Amino acid sequence: MSATILFTIISLSAIGATAAIILYFVAQKFKVYEDPRIDQVDEILPAANCGGCGYPGCRGFAEAMVKADDLSPFYCPVGGNETMAQVAEVLGKAVEAKDPQVAVVRCSGSPAHRERINSYDGASSCAISSSLYSGETGCQFGCLGLGDCVDVCDFDAIYMDEETGLPVVIDDNCTACGACVKACPNVIIELRKKNKKDRKIFVSCVNHDKGGVAKKACKVACIGCSKCVKVCPFDAITMDNFCAFIDANKCKLCRKCVAECPTNAILEINFPPKKVRTETPEKPKVEASKPVRTSAEKAGTIGEAKPEETPARPTGENKNETK
Amino acid sequence: MLKTFPKGGVHPAEGKYSANSAIEVLPLPKQVSIPIAQHIGAPSKPVVTKGDKVKVGDKIAESTGFVSANIHSSVSGTVFKVDKVLDSTGYKRPCVIINVEGDEWHESIDKSTDLKKEISLTDKEIIHRINESGIVGLGGATFPSHVKLSVPDGKKIDVLIINGVECEPYLTSDHRLMLEKAEEMLVGIQILMKALGVNLALIGIENNKPDAIEHLEKLVKDYPGIEVHALKVQYPQGGEKQLIKALINREVPSGGLPLDVGAVVHNVGTAYAVYEAVQKNKPLFERVVTLTGKSVKKPSNFMVRIGTPVSYLIEAAGGLPEDTGKVINGGPMMGKALNALDVPVVKGASGILIMPAELSQRKKEVNCIRCAKCVSVCPQGLEPYLLNRLAQLEKNDKLETDGVMDCIECGSCAYTCPAGLPLLDYIRLGKSRVSQIIRSRKQ
Amino acid sequence: MSKLFISPSPHVYEDTTVKRLMFDVVIALLPALLFSVYFFGMGAIIVTLTAVVSCLAFEWLIQKYILKEEPSITDGSALVTGILLAFNVPTNLPIGIIIIGSLVAIGVGKMSFGGLGNNPFNPALVGRVFLLISFPVQMTSWPVPTGFSNSYTDAVTGATPLGVMKEGISAGEPVSAIMDKIPGHMELFYGHMGGSMGEIAALALLLGLGYMLFRKVIKIHIPLSIFLTIGVFTGILWLVNPESNADPIFHLLTGGVMLGAIFMATDYVTSPMSVKGMWIFGIGIGIITVAIRVFGAYPEGISFAILIMNAFVPLINMYVKPKRFGEEVKNG
């Protein structure tokens, strides 16, 4: 009896010891040297693995940064300047602060403004719809409304508004990783500089049709009239192929163009409404009765995660102190 | 036992309502808009501008490369403008819009209807003439025909295959052509045989067109080297690869072309267009188009000038039915749904199909139950359920190894899926992604 | 005219739906159900109703309150699971046990993986095996088929032919002697023997197979490969030593082979996609079944065999691909 037990214990221990020795040597032989700084940098990164930096996941990004001599081409859109500063500290390199950005949806073609002339019945994907035809409306440039941008967002920062059928960016969640920009087949989403209190002024239209054609398809299309270009005191607006574009870096948020636009294609977001009224009381399109036009529901971008809980709109004393 | 391809295939309801309607010449519309990209390959370059006078058969856009095709005016009149117009691709694309004035044909075109049998041109001249006449594959793929006839060095072609299968349900344009223009078509086949330097041409026809088979069998006795073969009704037999397999039992290798197995496939419509171009010097500016559908008052086959608006055809067939839910350019399996009815008819349009509303919407989607029906109907031996999943997950490298590029987009998988899954939608998306990757890799 | 619909091709669809396929399976199961009612009486009806109702109820409850999705019990898959579970238990099984079995079948076997189409194992078999292990006494006291007049739980019980065989062989009796104690092949064919409710009547199950093949619900490959494998394997054993091994016909007609091969192994979700894969799957089931029957502790092994091979299905799907068109060039 005891012999059996003894035999079992000895033989199993022997097998275990042999295996341990083999494992030790194998581990030694196949050891891969890895720069310990990669782990350190990886720790700092937000571990979102969104690919917004252009590398396959956070670890790939960390490896690339450790190898690189200069950090200027690298930027983690999720962690922002804070993270990059920490990384620079670990690696002993310098890094310049970059302006934080936010995704902006440049289309206001809700059913009210843009008539649906047919109905799409295929798989629910913008990429498939756009490979098939120009979309449910007469506008072949705008939002297709099937939510590919929502599907790719890793941060719950974008959702489809059921009423307008347009995606809405939640500024506080948006990290500007750019996934939605890449997913949108019509490239209507743009990363723009983030301003104080999430204020923004942009042309919410990307169509390149001539004015008449554009207007027929969508009431709030940019018709390429160039009024905004003329009124802009900072030369921030350019006209390209019948569509205006406001350079966020040059724009000083003066809102002159908003008042000038005949189709309401230029949107102002998160501005106090009172001022709008006093500044341009005679302009019919920014009437007090329709402040909705400039607010979250209509626009496509809002400053609060839950729009229905926000009072009328974020005002000066809003807690929205993102930057 | 009738010949067919061995793997997969489905048999949708045929619905050939217009099979007994003789080809009617459609009166000229008031205005045509002729897209400058009607073929696979580089779009043509317009050579006319606003205000130019054109005659029928005048070149209005020029081929811009080897894989490209000339485009000719289908009417006589004044060029109204060259502008972007919504066409059957669903997008606004450049078109030459011509206001119709009279019907004056280019002088060199032989307008007589006599059958001209002897072939005076040499093989080089034939190919040149076909290229000049802007002939593309009229079965629907619209691949420029002269490219298929220019056999690269080192390849040997020993058989010409003529596709009279018309496996798409509803469509009958090829069927009527084989009945009414059989002799012209057979001369056209002889011209193609001469251009390729082959002594054998096989015409494949599905067995649901017994009149066409009988008619052609009688006629081919006078045309040495041409044989007619009846084929079992099975979709997608009209696919090049499937047809070659069915007729001569050769398998085009994955990623290869029919000429890799010594065969060239042309559609019967193309053979007829070749006859007209070579014997009558008439460029490709009109074609037979079937206008059909379950509730269409007068299902018809029209001889239509390219650029005629689809709505004009619909009017000629008794108007748009009340219950219309979908208008398809092409057959129900591979055709493209139109988002407007004033789009022009193009070279590749073999039919316009009007579907009633109750047949226009898809089945409700439920979970995949892995019933493997898609696997068993795939004529290419692929696994559609898997490709669908991989495409949704964007696993592009796995898609490539699982053969997404072999997919011929016949739609058999989505047709048969009991769960109503949009299999082909996603596979097509995956295929276009993978082909982009392959292209960028080559560069 | 209303708005035009736009969708990618194809624009026509076969009228087959998941629901139709499931109800075809139900129709195919009906002959066997009628035979069971004939042989076992009220018990068969009570067991079937309990299993079906509880399967449907559990699916509905789980979808509604746990998964919070639109209940899809009308697709018929829970109905099939319920009937198959009932077919796999004796007709005198207490109702409580059947309900537990249904909960395990639907809850653990199906819904925990995400519902229809996502379960790696046949839900009815998961339920059955769970009951077999948890309630071995109740699950193996088979009522003797006497006729419709039988009442439910107080039926006379006896062993199945397979059980008699196993016991006899392990006691060293020659097969020819054991054969005298069990019904003849003809009786086995139309199901006059003890056993689980739905597995007894080979004739009725084969009728169901014929119907499903006719309606193109399933392909022949899986049942055929299982039958052939079991036939060949037991045939060899029988030829080697007919006195300690039963003949292949006996093996095919008894136990759950018919039910398993025709209705359980062919379950879409848990069987391979390619024809080659189906053959591998069927042969695997055949070999494991015979191995358990001849060499194992249980008299019957097809449930375990199917569950084991279910586990291999993803692997089979991964490595056994259909031959692609133009994969090997052969010009002829």
Side-chain angles (χ1 to χ4, degrees):
Chain A
M1 188 59 192
S2 62
T4 317
I5 294 170
L6 206 61
F7 175 74
T8 314
I9 291 171
I10 290 172
S11 57
L12 282 177
S13 309
I15 292 169
T18 324
I21 291 163
I22 293 170
L23 271 178
Y24 174 76
F25 282 106
V26 170
Q28 287 294 316
K29 177 129 175 92
F30 293 102
K31 190 168 182 180
V32 180
Y33 174 75
E34 210 175 37
D35 196 323
R37 289 179 304 169
I38 296 177
D39 278 329
Q40 284 174 301
V41 174
D42 199 17
E43 288 276 295
I44 297 167
L45 294 174
N49 291 317
C50 64
C53 51
Y55 291 88
C58 292
R59 184 136 192 114
F61 185 51
E63 279 170 27
M65 283 197 292
V66 169
K67 268 187 219 146
D69 298 321
D70 178 19
L71 283 185
S72 58
F74 298 99
Y75 185 70
C76 172
V78 179
N81 289 324
E82 213 174 297
T83 301
M84 289 311 289
Q86 287 178 24
V87 170
E89 203 185 303
V90 168
L91 298 179
K93 291 168 197 163
V95 66
E96 267 176 52
K98 285 183 187 171
D99 287 334
Q101 290 183 310
V102 69
V104 171
V105 179
R106 291 184 296 164
C107 181
S108 307
S110 61
H113 295 129
R114 200 167 52 143
E115 197 197 341
R116 300 293 188 259
I117 53 177
N118 51 54
S119 53
Y120 176 73
D121 187 34
S124 181
S125 147
C126 301
I128 290 173
S129 171
S130 79
S131 69
L132 185 70
Y133 78 128
S134 58
E136 288 185 318
T137 66
C139 168
Q140 60 174 322
F141 301 95
C143 179
L144 296 162
L146 297 167
D148 278 12
C149 47
V150 178
D151 294 344
V152 294
C153 186
D154 286 334
F155 305 98
D156 290 333
I158 194 163
Y159 67 90
M160 294 304 288
D161 186 312
E162 277 180 26
E163 200 186 319
T164 61
L166 296 169
V168 178
V169 177
I170 301 166
D171 286 12
D172 288 353
N173 289 3
C174 179
T175 59
C177 70
C180 52
V181 178
K182 274 180 231 146
C184 180
N186 284 355
V187 206
I188 63 166
I189 304 178
E190 185 205 350
L191 295 180
R192 290 178 75 89
K193 193 181 87 177
K194 205 166 187 173
N195 292 313
K196 210 164 64 174
K197 298 192 180 97
D198 284 330
R199 289 177 174 177
K200 38 182 115 60
I201 300 236
F202 61 97
V203 180
S204 181
C205 187
V206 292
N207 97 84
H208 291 302
D209 273 329
K210 284 177 201 143
V213 180
K215 187 83 203 272
K216 202 177 151 200
C218 178
K219 285 183 207 152
V220 290
C222 171
I223 53 171
C225 65
S226 295
K227 277 186 181 170
C228 51
V229 179
K230 283 174 208 138
V231 82
C232 180
F234 308 105
D235 285 338
I237 309 183
T238 48
M239 184 65 65
D240 171 39
N241 209 353
F242 308 110
C243 190
F245 177 74
I246 301 176
D247 187 336
N249 294 321
K250 288 186 188 167
C251 177
K252 301 274 192 283
L253 306 177
C254 73
R255 293 188 276 165
K256 283 195 174 127
C257 51
V258 181
E260 200 63 35
C261 183
T263 55
N264 285 345
I266 302 178
L267 297 186
E268 48 170 35
I269 311 285
N270 294 336
F271 284 90
K274 211 164 58 191
K275 270 189 184 171
V276 181
R277 260 181 261 150
T278 51
E279 265 174 15
T280 56
E282 73 285 356
K283 293 286 175 195
K285 55 212 157 263
V286 267
E287 327 153 31
S289 58
K290 284 173 75 186
V292 165
R293 184 73 195 95
T294 58
S295 84
E297 295 119 279
K298 193 106 302 178
T301 319
I302 55 165
E304 286 285 333
K306 287 180 181 161
E308 62 274 13
E309 285 172 14
T310 319
R313 89 194 43 209
T315 45
E317 65 275 10
N318 198 293
K319 61 216 181 271
N320 231 355
E321 290 292 338
T322 338
K323 171 98 201 206
Chain B
M1 215 10 215
L2 289 165
K3 284 182 181 175
T4 188
F5 58 97
K7 193 195 291 284
V10 292
H11 187 188
E14 286 169 21
K16 305 256 186 192
Y17 302 112
S18 51
N20 296 319
S21 319
I23 299 172
E24 274 174 68
V25 177
L26 195 72
L28 290 175
K30 288 207 175 62
Q31 190 181 59
V32 295
S33 35
I34 306 173
I36 61 162
Q38 299 188 24
H39 45 261
I40 290 182
S44 317
K45 200 171 111 255
V47 293
V48 289
T49 49
K50 187 174 172 174
D52 286 0
K53 294 275 175 201
V54 289
K55 288 177 194 168
V56 176
D58 277 353
K59 196 194 282 180
I60 55 171
E62 209 169 39
S63 145
T64 52
F66 180 57
V67 186
S68 184
N70 290 330
I71 289 167
H72 301 81
S73 176
S74 60
V75 292
S76 63
T78 316
V79 177
F80 175 56
K81 58 179 175 178
V82 181
D83 195 9
K84 286 188 170 177
V85 170
L86 191 69
D87 72 2
S88 56
T89 57
Y91 280 94
K92 285 178 188 148
R93 296 203 307 177
C95 290
V96 178
I97 302 164
I98 304 170
N99 286 330
V100 183
E101 293 149 11
D103 192 24
E104 196 186 332
W105 288 38
H106 196 275
E107 305 76 36
S108 59
I109 302 173
D110 177 2
K111 282 182 87 170
S112 71
T113 51
D114 322 330
L115 182 70
K116 192 174 155 207
K117 272 197 172 180
E118 71 275 13
I119 302 156
S120 47
L121 302 185
T122 64
D123 52 353
K124 287 264 158 30
E125 286 168 339
I126 291 171
I127 294 175
H128 181 70
R129 179 68 65 80
I130 289 173
N131 187 3
E132 275 301 302
S133 305
I135 294 180
V136 298
L138 295 185
T142 63
F143 193 75
S145 297
H146 66 275
V147 181
K148 277 195 193 172
L149 294 173
S150 317
V151 182
D153 294 332
K155 297 278 182 189
K156 173 103 185 63
I157 304 295
D158 58 359
V159 59
L160 168 67
I161 288 175
I162 298 297
N163 186 345
V165 171
E166 201 152 56
C167 59
E168 277 271 10
Y170 294 95
L171 302 189
T172 56
S173 54
D174 290 351
H175 183 190
R176 292 312 304 178
L177 204 64
M178 286 188 285
L179 282 174
E180 294 176 39
K181 308 278 184 194
E183 294 253 24
E184 287 90 342
M185 196 191 85
L186 290 169
V187 177
I189 293 172
Q190 283 192 316
I191 295 168
L192 288 171
M193 286 163 76
K194 186 167 177 186
L196 285 168
V198 300
N199 300 320
L200 181 65
L202 307 175
I203 308 177
I205 307 174
E206 276 191 351
N207 205 31
N208 55 0
K209 297 178 265 293
D211 46 351
I213 296 169
E214 200 183 323
H215 185 58
L216 284 175
E217 265 173 352
K218 228 179 285 165
L219 291 173
V220 289
K221 293 194 182 100
D222 302 334
Y223 295 86
I226 304 182
E227 289 172 22
V228 176
H229 288 270
L231 299 167
K232 193 178 155 215
V233 183
Q234 180 117 316
Y235 179 87
Q237 194 138 242
E240 247 179 10
K241 295 178 173 183
Q242 277 64 38
L243 185 60
I244 294 172
K245 179 77 182 171
L247 280 173
I248 54 174
N249 196 24
R250 294 181 200 169
E251 226 171 277
V252 179
S254 164
L257 290 169
L259 55 84
D260 292 331
V261 293
V264 167
V265 183
H266 280 285
N267 183 267
V268 289
T270 315
Y272 176 66
V274 164
Y275 164 82
E276 297 236 288
V278 175
Q279 304 295 74
K280 304 278 186 180
N281 203 17
K282 183 178 147 192
L284 179 63
F285 58 75
E286 60 181 3
R287 67 157 299 146
V288 184
V289 177
T290 303
L291 197 129
T292 184
K294 202 176 169 198
S295 29
V296 171
K297 282 199 195 80
K298 194 166 76 80
S300 321
N301 299 291
F302 294 121
M303 186 62 98
V304 181
R305 302 284 173 92
I306 303 298
T308 306
V310 165
S311 50
Y312 192 74
L313 272 74
I314 296 175
E315 282 314 310
L320 194 70
E322 280 286 298
D323 61 348
T324 301
K326 199 188 249 179
V327 178
I328 300 163
N329 174 32
M333 294 300 284
M334 289 186 77
K336 205 172 156 85
L338 295 176
N339 55 345
L341 295 181
D342 46 6
V343 303
V345 166
V346 290
K347 290 176 179 178
S350 44
I352 304 292
L353 171 60
I354 299 173
M355 300 285 273
E358 77 262 20
L359 297 178
S360 298
Q361 272 175 293
R362 293 191 164 183
K363 276 194 270 193
K364 190 175 162 264
E365 274 176 50
V366 294
N367 284 0
C368 170
I369 53 164
R370 292 190 253 167
C371 65
K373 280 190 193 294
C374 55
V375 178
S376 61
V377 298
C378 180
Q380 290 291 90
L382 304 173
E383 292 165 291
Y385 78 98
L386 182 66
L387 298 178
N388 169 50
R389 197 87 197 98
L390 293 172
Q392 284 187 20
L393 299 171
E394 297 191 37
K395 304 261 184 221
N396 292 328
D397 38 348
K398 192 84 177 58
L399 270 174
E400 195 183 342
T401 54
D402 275 302
V404 78
M405 295 311 290
D406 280 346
C407 172
I408 58 170
E409 302 181 22
C410 68
S412 300
C413 48
Y415 168 79
T416 202
C417 181
L421 297 175
L423 295 170
L424 184 55
D425 295 13
Y426 281 104
I427 295 174
R428 208 184 270 125
L429 183 67
K431 197 178 158 184
S432 76
R433 281 198 189 119
V434 170
S435 71
Q436 259 173 24
I437 291 169
I438 292 176
R439 238 176 292 143
S440 67
R441 207 185 288 150
K442 276 181 190 155
Q443 276 159 12
Chain C
M1 191 197 72
S2 55
K3 289 175 196 165
L4 290 177
F5 287 107
I6 309 286
S7 63
S9 64
H11 304 286
V12 285
Y13 300 95
E14 211 167 58
D15 52 7
T16 321
T17 57
V18 170
K19 202 168 174 173
R20 203 215 83 184
L21 292 172
M22 291 299 169
F23 280 95
D24 267 343
V25 175
V26 172
I27 292 170
L29 284 164
L30 284 182
L33 185 62
L34 291 177
F35 268 71
S36 310
V37 173
Y38 174 75
F39 283 119
F40 297 121
M42 278 315 284
I45 296 172
I46 292 168
V47 168
T48 311
L49 279 181
T50 314
V52 167
V53 169
S54 50
C55 276
L56 288 171
F58 284 129
E59 175 147 325
W60 189 82
L61 289 170
I62 290 171
Q63 284 190 313
K64 182 101 178 165
Y65 294 104
I66 299 180
L67 298 177
K68 307 238 190 291
E69 54 185 38
E70 189 64 25
S72 61
I73 52 166
T74 49
D75 65 16
S77 66
L79 177 63
V80 171
T81 304
I83 298 179
L84 284 177
L85 179 66
F87 274 27
N88 272 296
V89 298
T91 50
N92 57 350
L93 199 64
I95 289 177
I97 295 182
I98 302 172
I99 293 175
I100 293 171
S102 305
L103 179 61
V104 172
I106 294 291
V108 179
K110 185 174 168 193
M111 302 317 285
S112 67
F113 294 100
L116 178 62
N118 298 321
N119 47 309
F121 300 105
N122 188 320
L125 278 182
V126 171
R128 187 241 150 111
V129 167
F130 175 82
L131 292 183
L132 186 64
I133 295 166
S134 312
F135 307 97
V137 178
Q138 291 90 330
M139 282 294 285
T140 50
S141 63
W142 321 96
V144 176
T146 43
F148 186 77
S149 57
N150 268 347
S151 64
Y152 173 39
T153 41
D154 53 351
V156 184
T157 60
T160 61
L162 271 177
V164 177
M165 183 65 75
K166 184 107 203 167
E167 216 169 283
I169 289 173
S170 47
E173 286 179 65
V175 167
S176 52
I178 307 170
M179 281 306 234
D180 293 338
K181 291 193 248 172
I182 53 184
H185 284 170
M186 213 45 222
E187 273 175 291
L188 293 178
F189 183 64
Y190 65 78
H192 190 76
M193 59 176 161
S196 292
M197 178 191 143
E199 71 183 20
I200 50 167
L203 172 65
L205 293 166
L206 286 171
L207 277 178
L209 174 65
Y211 176 79
M212 289 204 290
L213 290 176
F214 172 71
R215 293 282 282 173
K216 297 211 170 92
V217 176
I218 58 163
K219 288 191 182 147
I220 184 79
H221 305 99
I222 291 174
L224 189 68
S225 55
I226 295 175
F227 293 154
L228 284 179
T229 312
I230 291 182
V232 169
F233 197 175
T234 54
I236 292 170
L237 292 174
W238 179 60
L239 287 176
V240 170
N241 192 351
E243 277 309 301
S244 59
N245 290 297
D247 62 284
I249 308 286
F250 172 84
H251 273 291
L252 285 174
L253 292 177
T254 52
V257 170
M258 286 288 164
L259 180 65
I262 295 170
F263 289 101
M264 316 290 273
T266 56
D267 173 31
Y268 287 142
V269 182
T270 55
S271 64
M273 303 291 278
S274 63
V275 169
K276 245 184 289 176
M278 290 177 187
W279 277 97
I280 295 174
F281 181 70
I283 291 171
I285 290 175
I287 290 174
I288 297 172
T289 305
V290 178
I292 293 175
R293 279 189 181 186
V294 177
F295 310 111
Y298 282 98
E300 172 59 318
I302 189 140
S303 314
F304 294 103
I306 294 172
L307 286 177
I308 290 167
M309 288 312 288
N310 280 165
F312 283 99
V313 166
L315 200 66
I316 295 174
N317 282 339
M318 177 96 90
Y319 290 106
V320 184
K321 299 279 179 186
K323 190 190 151 287
R324 276 193 230 155
F325 189 94
E327 198 172 32
E328 335 161 348
V329 189
K330 48 163 192 202
N331 292 336

